[in-house]
Amino acid sequence: ETVEVESASAIEDWVPETAYAGYTGECYYTWRGPNYFSVPGVAPLEYGIYITNPGLYKFNFRNYHTYSDPSEENDHWTRMDDGPAKKTYSHTINQWNWHTVHEHDGQHVEASYNLSAGMHTFKMEARSFGMSVDGFHFYQDYVADPLNPAHRQSPIMGAGEITGSLKRWHKDVAAAKSEPVADAPCTACL
């Protein structure tokens, strides 16, 4: 299921917007600050991800950008835990889409993360002015039709017991087998 970007509070120049029709949830976030093409780590949106089924998880973010050259101003930095920042981009312009590629050390590869069981912190960081994100999805190969728009944010679990800024819990339809500890700062349970 999709994690809505607004599950984390907008900070710095991340702006909640509703101008592009077809977004899901309450809004989407657009980076309206300067470009950070060579500087990862700026204005990180942080999401707690609880993994019950370790393994390779593909990653897609639902994005929108309008720059006339589809290979420019089309990206954010993303990172898992304390790993390296990866340029994460899309070449599709003027429409909501799930096209997602990582560029790391000069290689352009399918966006994915090898995740162990337990808590992880996923960060989406500023890179290109005007790049919008509506949500994101982590999934394993066996999940049927993982990017279908009918897969929406799952219900909040354990509300009222959770502390900290990340208060929403989600579970993947096919992957969730158990729930994390009630006070864990979890955005998505997979």
Side-chain angles (χ1 to χ4, degrees):
E1 295 182 15
T2 301
V3 175
E4 295 290 344
V5 72
E6 66 269 23
S7 295
S9 297
I11 60 170
E12 298 185 34
D13 291 321
W14 288 104
V15 178
E17 297 182 347
T18 58
Y20 301 139
Y23 66 89
T24 60
E26 299 170 11
C27 64
Y28 55 88
Y29 289 173
T30 302
W31 178 250
R32 295 295 180 194
N35 293 324
Y36 289 101
F37 297 141
S38 301
V39 184
V42 175
L45 298 172
E46 295 188 11
Y47 301 87
I49 307 295
Y50 187 84
I51 298 295
T52 57
N53 296 317
L56 184 66
Y57 281 80
K58 294 180 180 178
F59 168 73
N60 290 85
F61 68 144
R62 191 163 188 264
N63 64 87
Y64 196 113
H65 67 100
T66 60
Y67 196 73
S68 58
D69 180 343
S71 67
E72 297 292 328
E73 299 200 15
N74 63 347
D75 49 21
H76 294 301
W77 295 106
T78 60
R79 79 173 74 220
M80 186 65 69
D81 299 322
D82 293 323
K86 296 178 182 182
K87 174 183 171 183
T88 305
Y89 68 91
S90 169
H91 286 311
T92 305
I93 62 171
N94 298 318
Q95 65 182 356
W96 288 112
N97 71 89
W98 287 100
H99 182 250
T100 308
V101 177
H102 274 161
E103 179 183 333
H104 185 64
D105 293 334
Q107 301 295 313
H108 302 265
V109 297
E110 177 180 68
S112 63
Y113 295 93
N114 192 7
L115 300 174
S116 61
M119 283 299 300
H120 296 273
T121 301
F122 174 71
K123 297 178 185 176
M124 192 173 320
E125 304 165 349
R127 191 169 196 282
S128 291
F129 175 85
M131 181 66 171
S132 299
V133 177
D134 187 31
F136 58 88
H137 188 58
F138 288 95
Y139 59 96
Q140 292 181 302
D141 278 337
Y142 63 83
V143 176
D145 199 14
L147 303 178
N148 184 325
H151 295 303
R152 294 308 324 134
Q153 186 168 312
S154 63
I156 296 170
M157 299 185 301
E161 301 171 323
I162 304 168
T163 60
S165 62
L166 300 175
K167 297 181 182 179
R168 297 194 180 189
W169 294 34
H170 312 280
K171 64 179 181 180
D172 186 284
V173 171
K177 299 271 191 265
S178 64
E179 295 181 17
V181 178
D183 63 352
C186 185
T187 304
C189 301
L190 306 174

